[in-house]
Amino acid sequence: MNNKALGTQRVKRGMAEMQKGGVIMDVVNAEEAKIAEAAGAVAVMALERVPADIRADGGVARMADPKIVEEVMQAVSIPVMAKARIGHVVEARILEAMGVDYIDESEVLTPADETFHIAKGDFTVPFVCGARNIGEALRRIGEGASMIRTKGEPGTGNIVEAVRHMRTMQRQIRQIANLSSDELMHQAKEWNAPYELLREVHTHGNLPVVNFAAGGVATPADAALMMHLGADGVFVGSGIFKSEQPEKFARAIVLATTHYQDYGKLVELSKGIGQPMTGIEISQIEPDDRMQERGW
Amino acid sequence: MKIGILALQGAVSEHLTMLNQLDVDPVLVKNESDLTGLNGLIIPGGESTTIARLMHLNQLMEPIKLRAKQGLPMMGTCAGLIILAQHIHEQSDVHLGILNVTVSRNAFGRQRDSFEQLITVKGLEEAFPAVFIRAPLVEDIGEDVEVLATVDHQIVAVKQGQLIGLSFHPELTSDVRFHQLFVENCRSVNKNI
């Protein structure tokens, strides 16, 4: 290894580890990206429409116009992520060729493949994927994802689904850690999880990659709640730029993520920051319209 | 001996894992009061703009600067190196500004250019597995700065008195030698404690 080794597992997973304790914000142009960076975001997700608008507009949601992604990349010095459709290998290759720092193979976009996710291990650029439980998380890691996030229910401003997914994953990790080694194969079968990765969770007592919260974070208290539940950091999609005062909101959510156990500080952070985005009650969304059901 | 890790954002738990293998008491530093009684401070990798912003918002910038002037040993890895540096290429504002070097951010390129490489380090017998992630480079050094390692003739590790700055992430490996070096450094400064 006297020569440079690019795109190794350590380099890809390590990139996500550098984002820990931070907030990754959805932005749709250079101006929003600068606001996010100034507020202390650890990265921005460049896209054409935030999830709340994708939900409202309907139709097919695809990878963003490369021009928007390029604009954002030129505007900020923090890492830039972008979304590819589930299974859309070519959208992912286009984003990689542009030099995007992380690809989100995302259920927020309309899936391109109903069966197969992208073989992410083949890429030099790292991937993040959504998951609702440990089996889904380990299948994505098995395909080469270097970072996991809860799916939650994007664009709703309703934290309940992200909470459900994070609690489920944390509980299942504890269950795996407590199994005896001869029970692991059965559990792998029950949860449709790759056996070798399940064994790794059993040995170390945690996921082999960073696990962020996403899908419904709308307030500083929501961000702090997800950290309290064991998230390594937070994605905020519609929550920032659909709020009344994005600058204040962005800064408050960054600070709440750092000081999630300092309730006195959270009081100050939650004061006078204007209205959060309008939320949607999950039961109002038809099961077929729930983004979290996309992928498997 | 108490060694602090600045715990605002970034690879905090990875540094903690390293320090737990050495004979020291690690302290997570989020507020000024956490600095009391420290014998050394690690500034971890992460996003330098985020860490610096949080240092300002938490009134940590001046207290840490003051302690550096009083001789508190510090080690910065990747973003931590940028935060220690006196000059940042093409950027007018600096952060702690205490390490006499000019650094250039994301000097190797974007994430796809991130890499690992075995490097030779002054003071270490065997090569060190260095992990570079959107890493900075040291472009220029002051007279009192010693170069510890280079990659393709470019500087990636420096020491100036009690300060160590690294472009790469020893905390992402299982190789504890840099942390050992730093702790020995802290011990020699604090030999009366």
Side-chain angles (χ1 to χ4, degrees):
Chain A
M1 206 177 63
N2 285 322
N3 294 323
K4 288 182 183 178
L6 298 168
T8 61
Q9 190 180 76
R10 186 146 64 179
V11 160
K12 292 200 274 190
R13 291 182 178 181
M15 161 74 198
E17 281 163 57
M18 295 309 136
Q19 305 267 295
K20 284 195 308 182
V23 181
I24 299 167
M25 300 182 192
D26 277 5
V27 300
V28 298
N29 55 42
E31 188 196 341
E32 288 186 358
K34 281 181 182 155
I35 291 172
E37 184 177 45
V42 288
V44 290
M45 176 79 69
L47 61 178
E48 236 167 72
R49 292 174 292 173
V50 293
D53 289 334
I54 290 175
R55 193 176 280 289
D57 294 351
V60 174
R62 312 178 180 90
M63 173 186 83
D65 182 338
K67 200 165 163 271
I68 293 177
V69 182
E70 260 170 20
E71 253 179 52
V72 169
M73 283 166 64
Q74 280 159 13
V76 295
S77 64
I78 54 177
V80 176
M81 302 187 172
K83 290 184 194 293
R85 280 179 268 179
I86 290 174
H88 207 309
V89 182
V90 172
E91 281 188 352
R93 284 294 181 195
I94 291 170
L95 293 172
E96 180 180 54
M98 287 173 63
V100 162
D101 296 299
Y102 234 95
I103 296 175
D104 185 1
E105 187 184 19
S106 178
E107 67 281 4
V108 167
L109 305 183
T110 312
D113 193 315
E114 291 179 330
T115 311
F116 302 106
H117 283 251
I118 299 169
K120 294 167 276 287
D122 298 346
F123 286 69
T124 304
V125 67
F127 280 76
V128 56
C129 285
R132 291 162 294 181
N133 53 54
I134 195 74
E136 195 171 15
L138 294 179
R139 291 194 295 276
R140 296 294 85 78
I141 296 168
E143 291 157 357
S146 306
M147 179 182 194
I148 293 294
R149 54 170 177 76
T150 59
K151 282 180 161 175
E153 189 53 43
T156 60
N158 189 340
I159 199 68
V160 66
E161 294 301 307
V163 167
R164 186 197 319 282
H165 300 160
M166 185 56 77
R167 277 205 184 270
T168 303
M169 274 193 258
Q170 300 290 0
R171 183 176 60 246
Q172 291 174 328
I173 289 169
R174 288 193 300 273
Q175 285 173 338
I176 293 169
N178 284 327
L179 292 174
S180 71
S181 53
D182 58 359
E183 293 170 329
L184 294 176
M185 185 59 87
H186 174 74
Q187 199 61 67
K189 175 187 148 228
E190 288 294 302
W191 287 345
N192 295 316
Y195 173 69
E196 292 300 329
L197 288 171
L198 193 109
R199 241 177 47 164
E200 226 179 287
V201 173
H202 176 70
T203 308
H204 300 289
N206 50 33
L207 273 185
V209 303
V210 162
N211 186 14
F212 269 48
V217 177
T219 66
D222 286 349
L225 171 63
M226 296 313 298
M227 295 300 286
H228 168 80
L229 293 176
D232 289 314
V234 177
F235 282 87
V236 188
S238 319
I240 306 276
F241 290 99
K242 286 287 169 193
S243 73
E244 216 174 60
Q245 300 181 50
E247 276 106 340
K248 281 191 181 174
F249 239 81
R251 199 169 64 177
I253 288 182
V254 168
L255 281 168
T257 303
T258 304
H259 297 288
Y260 68 96
Q261 289 165 312
D262 187 337
Y263 305 118
K265 250 188 189 135
L266 292 176
V267 172
E268 291 310 310
L269 292 173
S270 306
K271 253 188 224 167
I273 52 174
Q275 281 298 312
M277 70 180 285
T278 312
I280 306 175
E281 167 55 34
I282 301 298
S283 60
Q284 303 294 304
I285 307 170
E286 292 297 323
D288 282 352
D289 294 334
R290 292 182 194 165
M291 290 173 174
Q292 61 178 287
E293 301 299 332
R294 296 165 167 180
W296 57 281
Chain B
M1 222 184 34
K2 283 166 76 177
I3 306 290
I5 305 167
L6 188 65
L8 298 173
Q9 190 273 317
V12 175
S13 66
E14 287 77 1
H15 277 293
L16 189 61
T17 304
M18 295 306 244
L19 290 182
N20 280 336
Q21 296 169 53
L22 302 169
D23 185 24
V24 297
D25 299 318
V27 177
L28 297 184
V29 174
K30 283 197 176 190
N31 297 298
E32 188 182 348
S33 58
D34 303 323
L35 294 168
T36 310
L38 288 188
N39 305 112
L41 177 66
I42 291 175
I43 304 180
E47 280 308 313
S48 62
T49 50
T50 305
I51 296 175
R53 170 143 293 268
L54 289 166
M55 286 171 81
H56 278 297
L57 292 170
N58 288 301
Q59 282 93 42
L60 274 169
M61 207 56 102
E62 293 307 317
I64 293 180
K65 222 184 267 184
L66 183 72
R67 278 170 176 77
K69 282 185 187 140
Q70 292 167 343
L72 181 71
M74 296 187 192
M75 176 164 81
T77 60
C78 194
L81 163 66
I82 297 168
I83 285 166
L84 290 175
Q86 253 171 36
H87 307 281
I88 303 173
H89 184 67
E90 287 180 350
Q91 193 173 312
S92 54
D93 56 327
V94 296
H95 310 305
L96 285 172
I98 50 177
L99 179 67
N100 193 3
V101 297
T102 302
V103 296
S104 160
R105 293 179 61 202
N106 304 330
F108 293 94
R110 304 197 70 95
Q111 171 60 19
R112 62 181 175 194
D113 307 302
S114 295
F115 64 98
E116 321 182 23
Q117 187 169 359
L118 277 175
I119 63 170
T120 307
V121 179
K122 203 169 167 182
L124 298 182
E125 265 180 38
E126 310 262 319
F128 192 89
V131 183
F132 294 85
I133 296 176
R134 288 172 46 93
L137 269 176
V138 176
E139 283 195 341
D140 200 12
I141 57 169
E143 268 177 23
D144 46 348
V145 177
E146 183 187 358
V147 174
L148 298 181
T150 59
V151 164
D152 301 336
H153 310 292
Q154 293 172 301
I155 303 168
V156 295
V158 294
K159 185 170 186 296
Q160 177 195 2
Q162 307 316 324
L163 305 175
I164 295 174
L166 309 175
S167 296
F168 49 91
H169 295 282
E171 74 277 16
L172 290 185
T173 70
S174 52
D175 194 321
V176 81
R177 285 177 295 164
F178 256 107
H179 289 78
Q180 226 154 13
L181 211 69
F182 177 63
V183 166
E184 277 161 26
N185 211 4
C186 298
R187 227 171 237 134
S188 68
V189 174
N190 298 281
K191 50 182 172 276
N192 299 325
I193 299 166

